[in-house]
Amino acid sequence: MLSAGELLDLTVPCDVRAPGIARAALAAAHDGGWSLDESLLVASELVTNAVRHSGCGAVHTLTVTLGRRKGNLIIAVRDPGLSGDVAEPSGGKYPGPGGWGLDIVERLSINWGTERSDGYCVWAELASEW
Amino acid sequence: MAETDAQSQSVPAEELPSFAITTDRDTDGVRLIVAGDLDLSSARELDRILDGMAPGDGERLLVDLDGVEFMDSSGLAAIVRAKRFADHNGYRMTIRYRTPQVRQILDVCGMLDYLTLED
């Protein structure tokens, strides 16, 4: 089960601003315990996927949380899950409409996964640098 | 691909990450200077400008990413589309970058060799 967002619990509009807002908040929450560049990229990809594929509109928001699990960083992005789409990497082929986003998440994380309950959540676990 | 509501709705410009594109000419052709964050909020603008690029015979298009502080797959996809278009239309496209994070995403996505680095 996911840890609570003890490092960050952020609500962002479900539109093109969301990745930038999430990155700014993540950078502000960075305590040196994990790779900032990798976490910014993973968060940006997870949030972008939610904006592009969740079927959300102007009235919807996304929740971005950062927490720790056994010392590692968990980045989780929850969307309204309106489209019913599932998160699936392109598998290294030239990316289709889904793009490279989840391939990047897969490469940079130790684990990633999804949950469908109270919307749709995609999370990634990044190695601690301590 | 059909656009979602989320992508087509307009948002206040002051809430977007900083981003700028300048077009310039140099002795080798056209130089597109990109600065700021290249993500979902700016990739479409880059697409639009790249679509209008038409280097002359023997000229190259340089996409200069030295001023890009952050790039994700939305930005990379726009650059790869431009490279495919350049290959298809018979002109050379090169890139340059300085930020380690930009190199990282090119590496992670296997695009270090596909995108030609400017000498």
Side-chain angles (χ1 to χ4, degrees):
Chain A
M1 198 51 215
L2 297 181
S3 57
E6 70 263 28
L7 296 170
L8 178 70
D9 191 342
L10 178 72
T11 301
V12 297
C14 191
D15 62 37
V16 298
R17 287 172 291 181
I21 295 170
R23 291 196 306 273
L26 198 157
H30 185 239
D31 64 3
W34 65 86
S35 162
L36 182 60
D37 274 356
E38 293 190 3
S39 62
L40 290 176
L41 185 52
V42 166
S44 205
E45 300 299 345
L46 292 178
V47 172
T48 297
N49 278 350
V51 173
R52 292 183 62 200
H53 303 301
S54 70
C56 67
V59 299
H60 300 111
T61 56
L62 308 172
T63 308
V64 181
T65 56
L66 280 187
R68 287 194 178 279
R69 182 160 65 191
K70 295 177 184 167
N72 291 329
L73 183 73
I74 305 281
I75 304 174
V77 177
R78 186 174 296 280
D79 65 49
L82 303 174
S83 66
D85 285 1
V86 295
E88 200 172 9
S90 70
K93 302 181 289 290
Y94 180 76
W100 275 291
L102 272 179
D103 298 281
I104 292 170
V105 171
E106 195 168 55
R107 277 283 301 274
L108 297 182
S109 64
I110 301 169
N111 288 301
W112 69 277
T114 64
E115 284 182 4
R116 191 176 292 284
S117 68
D118 185 25
Y120 190 64
C121 176
V122 185
W123 58 268
E125 179 176 357
L126 272 64
S128 163
E129 293 202 329
W130 291 122
Chain B
M1 191 187 67
E3 290 177 356
T4 63
D5 289 341
Q7 286 178 87
S8 52
Q9 78 204 36
S10 62
V11 298
E14 67 270 17
E15 293 184 27
L16 295 171
S18 71
F19 180 69
I21 302 181
T22 312
T23 307
D24 195 12
R25 295 199 69 87
D26 60 19
T27 51
D28 295 321
V30 181
R31 181 166 165 232
L32 198 66
I33 304 158
V34 188
D37 284 12
L38 197 39
D39 71 358
L40 185 64
S41 67
S42 48
R44 190 180 301 175
E45 174 76 356
L46 180 60
D47 261 341
R48 192 181 64 75
I49 290 171
L50 284 166
D51 275 352
M53 292 276 121
D57 279 350
E59 290 190 331
R60 69 89 177 87
L61 168 65
L62 165 61
V63 180
D64 182 341
L65 303 171
D66 276 359
V68 171
E69 287 144 30
F70 175 84
M71 181 165 88
D72 66 14
S73 67
S74 300
L76 179 58
I79 290 164
V80 168
R81 273 193 293 274
K83 171 74 161 105
R84 287 154 68 95
F85 185 81
D87 289 349
H88 185 76
N89 288 281
Y91 62 86
R92 217 156 49 83
M93 187 189 111
T94 59
I95 63 164
R96 52 181 292 172
Y97 54 85
R98 202 192 321 244
T99 312
Q101 191 273 324
V102 172
R103 188 187 190 286
Q104 177 188 41
I105 186 171
L106 295 177
D107 185 21
V108 167
C109 295
M111 290 291 123
L112 278 176
D113 292 335
Y114 178 62
L115 295 168
T116 311
L117 207 56
E118 178 88 350
D119 295 332

